[in-house]
Amino acid sequence: MIGFALKTLRHRKGAFAGAFVALLCAAALVSACLMLLETGLRGSVAPERYAGAPAIVAADQFVRESVDKGDGKTKTKAKPLTERAWLPGSVVAALKGTPSVSKVITEVTFPFGEYTGHGWESAALTPFTIAEGREPREAGEIVVDARAGLAVGARLRGHQVVGVTAQALPSQDTVFFSTAEARRLAGRPGQVSAAGVFPGLAEAPEGAVLYTGDERGRLEFLDAEQARVKLISMGGALAGTSLLVAILVVVGTFALSIQQRQREIALLRAVAATPRQVRALVGGEALLVGVAAGVLGSAAGLGLGLWLHSTFVALGATPANLRLVVSPFPAFVALPATVGAAWVAARVSARRLARIRPVEALGEAALDRGRLPWPRLAAGLAAAAGGAVLTLVLSGLSTEAAATPVTMLTALVWTISLALLGPLVARAVVRALPLRGTGVSGYLAARSLRAAPKGLAAVLSPLTLMVAMTCTILFAQTTAGHAAQEQADAGSLAGHVLPGAAASASAVARVPGVEAVTPVLRTSVRVGLTKYAAQAVAYDPRTIDLGVVSGSMKGFGAGSVALSRTAADGLGLAVGGQVRLTLGDGTPATLGVAAVYTRGLGFGDLTLPYELVAGHVDDPAGTLLVSAPTLTGDALAAAVPGSVVLDRAQAAEVSAANPQVTFVALGLIIAFTAIAVVNTLAMATSGRSKELAVLRLAGTTPRQILRMLRLETLCAVLTAAVAGTAISWVTLSAFGAGMTGSATPYVPPVAYALVLAASAALALAATALPARLALRTRPADAVSTA
């Protein structure tokens, strides 16, 4: 049958072109997502600043927890810290006393504007050498790298340049201070960022971790380690979602292809072809198309993966020095997944037609009665039940990491249910829409839709999928963002905000007209292994209102913590309880719960004392919230030289989360569904060339036929818009109920209108082009060819 299938493909290239395009796009999308996943799992970063040291000893940059596996054994799980963990001086002393160690070079690292500051003691770790001038010796003196473009005698952020190095690092701008000044600016007395060990070390002393080879790069670039974790979760979720979408699209495409070949298959049955032979023929065709599309799609996935990686780097989500891993693994997974999806889709689509008797097969081909087989009806109802269960589960998820993949899956399962029950929906739509009163074209459109509801159902599935997925992806972001902004606006009482303040809170508080100043640091903490967004504040009710519903912020200070209601419910804590947590740099703390508040999306799930966190973040230059009703922003800026003063609206715009990375990643799925819409509609229209020719022979003009097709397409678009909107609304309501406490999603009207307009324009274009090509052929030739 493979040889017969090859001949069939050769003579029916157009019939299989749609399936080929769908499979190629599916393979490319899955392959690209798997490249991101593999980069997260196996990606490495070459060391730069530590390149000259054979071994680096530093603190453990992970929080670890032993988990009981239930069989008497335990497993240790680890999650990366969000701030740099520092090494105690006692470990450095132990290293210096190790017999095999000849030299220990310590370093401190801290932000200095857009530069990274270090003590000159650590220059040998790269190594850096002086090309011009001399090394720094006292406070106020700095050495800049060769890329800074500064000469000896220049000034940088109030410091005098006394030297320029001969080297520069590829991905970081470096400034050196004297050793004593660097340690003072780092603000970590008795601690160092890391220690280089010469000529090497067999194992690290207790309380430290040994880094060699590319592991030195993972220590040097902690953001790369965090990006790896994000790529693992994003790549896995995207690959799974892409595969599910691909299966749905491919099944629909093959179903339409088999539907257009019903008469051909019926004739094969009439000339004694057995059901097994028919299934083997269709399966062989699917294997041939799947292999060809899978190979090309996997190759295209390489380019798509490279583009995704470069885009994430440009958006700042992935460090440029986290190299993309390119291996055969994504292709080895994407190819069999694509071929398997094609084979299963084709066999399932041809199963019913291959099993019926030849005479009945010819009858089925001649007239579409729109009956729904009971297995398909049962599967559709089961999918609807699954969608309902997932909706309930989603309404109880209150963290973005847990809710995002379930949100996509919920919309997909509801769409699968609609695809399975599509003929029933199509029949109901045809009866409801008033097409008869729109002239000859309306009459023809109504008769065509009523005679072949499966045709409408076939184009309805990808259209609904596109509307549902696009609305879900876009408006999940707007729903969460709008709720967070509302909470931040309601709780922000300060009239002025000083981001990255150059002045201290006490200096601003001395400005005449200033009533209250609240310093704020943004960080994250872990309770167990679960990460929570947190803020550290010197709480003042004149600048912040967290929406406290239990307990009180009076007396909030050392030893206290306030929890959002979401965090309190998730941790099972109430006022008076205690929470054991790990600060961003790995420092453990046990704090008493002083209050529970409602505005967690706007201010973070945990609010900590400023004094507790200030010494445990990489960048201590946080934000100052200033209440000064009688001062304008310009007046406050003049009183605090060197500081940027924003009003509340400007600060909200700056601090708003950037969803571009999510849109880029999930936008690929939207693009795939858009391609599926064009593909399906083009196939459906091209497959009706004989029908259009018969209509022309009966006296119908080309203009009337084009108008008839437009009406049919608009009918499908309208139905898909209603169904897709309903699916996304149910999904987003559950998402909002869990994440924001409100079951009303935030849908910007302009964005929603653009989604519907784009869907309609795409569908009409995909219908008009093949229709015009079909109408160029003379009716008699089209009938004889068909």
Side-chain angles (χ1 to χ4, degrees):
M1 276 294 175
I2 293 295
F4 193 25
L6 188 59
K7 292 180 180 179
T8 306
L9 291 175
R10 188 179 302 146
H11 294 288
R12 295 183 61 92
K13 299 182 183 68
F16 293 97
F20 178 83
V21 170
L23 289 168
L24 187 147
C25 293
L29 189 56
V30 172
S31 181
C33 293
L34 289 176
M35 287 180 69
L36 297 181
L37 175 62
E38 188 178 16
T39 299
L41 291 171
R42 302 199 300 119
S44 61
V45 178
E48 295 179 3
R49 195 170 72 251
Y50 296 152
I56 299 290
V57 174
D60 190 359
Q61 304 298 322
F62 289 82
V63 57
R64 303 179 189 272
E65 184 176 271
S66 296
V67 180
D68 188 359
K69 297 176 64 177
D71 54 358
K73 299 180 181 180
T74 59
K75 178 181 180 181
T76 300
K77 293 186 176 181
K79 295 290 185 180
L81 297 169
T82 54
E83 312 281 354
R84 184 177 298 276
W86 286 56
L87 196 66
S90 58
V91 175
V92 177
L95 286 173
K96 291 179 178 179
T98 303
S100 61
V101 174
S102 62
K103 181 170 60 174
V104 176
I105 298 177
T106 58
E107 79 135 0
V108 296
T109 179
F110 55 91
F112 182 69
E114 64 273 22
Y115 295 83
T116 303
H118 307 279
W120 183 250
E121 62 178 334
S122 64
L125 294 176
T126 304
F128 277 97
T129 57
I130 294 291
E132 180 185 354
R134 59 173 176 83
E135 65 185 52
R137 296 170 183 163
E138 57 187 45
E141 295 182 347
I142 58 174
V143 169
V144 298
D145 63 24
R147 191 171 51 200
L150 299 175
V152 173
R155 298 192 68 81
L156 178 65
R157 296 176 62 87
H159 292 70
Q160 184 177 8
V161 177
V162 297
V164 179
T165 67
Q167 299 81 18
L169 300 178
S171 60
Q172 48 190 312
D173 298 316
T174 309
V175 172
F176 290 100
F177 298 78
S178 67
T179 297
E181 178 67 2
R183 297 202 175 197
R184 184 188 71 81
L185 292 173
R188 298 290 188 114
Q191 296 179 306
V192 296
S193 301
V197 181
F198 297 80
L201 197 65
E203 61 179 15
E206 185 177 356
V209 177
L210 179 65
Y211 298 86
T212 59
D214 281 350
E215 290 180 349
R216 295 170 298 168
R218 295 175 63 178
L219 171 67
E220 183 176 344
F221 300 100
L222 295 182
D223 57 340
E225 186 63 25
Q226 296 167 17
R228 288 178 66 247
V229 175
K230 291 180 180 178
L231 285 178
I232 292 172
S233 60
M234 181 183 294
L238 279 175
T241 303
S242 301
L243 189 57
L244 287 174
V245 172
I247 291 173
L248 181 59
V249 169
V250 169
V251 168
T253 303
F254 267 98
L256 180 59
S257 176
I258 297 298
Q259 179 183 322
Q260 292 176 346
R261 299 174 59 201
Q262 280 191 15
R263 187 170 185 83
E264 174 189 329
I265 295 174
L267 288 172
L268 288 175
R269 291 284 288 120
V271 295
T274 65
R276 182 176 181 180
Q277 288 173 326
V278 171
R279 289 195 297 269
L281 170 64
V282 174
E285 294 169 350
L287 288 176
L288 291 172
V289 174
V291 169
V295 170
L296 293 177
S298 299
L302 174 62
L304 185 59
L306 291 170
W307 177 82
L308 268 178
H309 180 262
S310 62
T311 302
F312 287 169
V313 170
L315 293 175
T318 302
N321 50 11
L322 178 57
R323 298 183 294 269
L324 182 69
V325 175
V326 180
S327 78
F329 165 73
F332 284 164
V333 175
L335 180 58
T338 302
V339 174
W343 187 81
V344 172
R347 298 275 294 201
V348 169
S349 300
R351 181 175 180 272
R352 178 170 177 266
L353 191 61
R355 292 180 61 184
I356 61 178
R357 291 179 297 179
V359 175
E360 293 176 348
L362 287 170
E364 287 280 337
L367 180 61
D368 177 12
R369 297 184 177 89
R371 293 176 181 173
L372 199 63
W374 71 263
R376 180 170 179 173
L377 177 62
L381 295 176
V389 171
L390 285 172
T391 301
L392 291 175
V393 171
L394 180 60
S395 64
L397 300 178
S398 56
T399 61
E400 186 176 359
T404 299
V406 178
T407 302
M408 298 298 104
L409 183 59
T410 303
L412 265 176
V413 172
W414 278 118
T415 307
I416 291 172
S417 173
L418 181 72
L420 291 169
L421 302 176
L424 296 180
V425 176
R427 289 171 65 87
V429 168
V430 170
R431 291 176 179 174
L433 289 177
L435 295 176
R436 292 186 178 181
T438 56
V440 174
S441 299
Y443 174 81
L444 291 174
R447 298 295 294 179
S448 176
L449 291 172
R450 176 163 293 186
K454 287 184 179 179
L456 175 60
V459 300
L460 189 61
S461 296
L463 275 170
T464 303
L465 178 65
M466 185 174 71
V467 174
M469 293 299 292
T470 304
C471 289
T472 300
I473 290 170
L474 292 179
F475 303 139
Q477 298 290 326
T478 60
T479 297
H482 181 71
Q485 191 60 58
E486 280 190 327
Q487 292 184 13
D489 290 343
S492 298
L493 307 181
H496 306 290
V497 178
L498 280 65
S504 65
S506 57
V508 176
R510 290 194 293 269
V511 174
V514 173
E515 295 182 355
V517 179
T518 298
V520 180
L521 290 173
R522 296 288 182 178
T523 183
S524 64
V525 300
R526 290 192 184 272
V527 180
L529 295 178
T530 305
K531 185 167 73 172
Y532 291 93
Q535 65 171 356
V537 301
Y539 188 78
D540 192 314
R542 291 172 293 181
T543 57
I544 298 178
D545 179 9
L546 297 176
V548 174
V549 292
S550 178
S552 173
M553 296 297 288
K554 293 181 179 179
F556 177 80
S560 303
V561 63
L563 304 177
S564 71
R565 186 155 52 189
T566 299
D569 292 343
L571 296 171
L573 293 172
V575 173
Q578 285 193 327
V579 56
R580 296 180 181 179
L581 54 84
T582 305
L583 298 179
D585 67 344
T587 303
T590 301
L591 305 173
V593 179
V596 175
Y597 55 89
T598 58
R599 295 176 178 145
L601 286 175
F603 295 95
D605 284 317
L606 279 77
T607 297
L608 305 168
Y610 185 85
E611 295 77 9
L612 173 66
V613 177
H616 302 279
V617 293
D618 294 340
D619 187 359
T623 299
L624 295 181
L625 306 180
V626 181
S627 176
T630 60
L631 292 179
T632 64
D634 292 338
L636 183 60
V640 189
S643 295
V644 177
V645 180
L646 306 176
D647 59 29
R648 287 167 55 181
Q650 292 170 323
E653 183 178 347
V654 170
S655 64
N658 184 2
Q660 287 179 301
V661 173
T662 303
F663 287 158
V664 168
L666 295 178
L668 290 176
I669 298 177
I670 296 176
F672 179 42
T673 58
I675 293 172
V677 167
V678 174
N679 191 26
T680 304
L681 284 167
M683 284 180 62
T685 305
S686 299
R688 298 172 62 184
S689 58
K690 181 178 180 180
E691 174 191 339
L692 301 183
V694 170
L695 286 174
R696 289 187 63 190
L697 289 174
T700 310
T701 66
R703 179 177 295 181
Q704 289 172 328
I705 291 175
L706 289 174
R707 190 165 184 267
M708 174 195 77
L709 293 174
R710 284 196 295 268
L711 287 172
E712 292 178 9
T713 302
L714 288 175
C715 174
V717 169
L718 179 60
T719 306
V722 173
T725 300
I727 289 172
S728 62
W729 187 271
V730 169
T731 304
L732 292 172
S733 294
F735 172 82
M739 286 291 296
T740 71
S742 171
T744 303
Y746 178 70
V747 179
V750 174
Y752 176 66
L754 288 175
V755 170
L756 298 186
S759 301
L762 200 64
L764 289 171
T767 302
L769 182 59
R772 291 183 181 277
L773 292 175
L775 290 174
R776 287 182 179 180
T777 305
R778 291 189 305 173
D781 293 341
V783 171
S784 61
T785 302

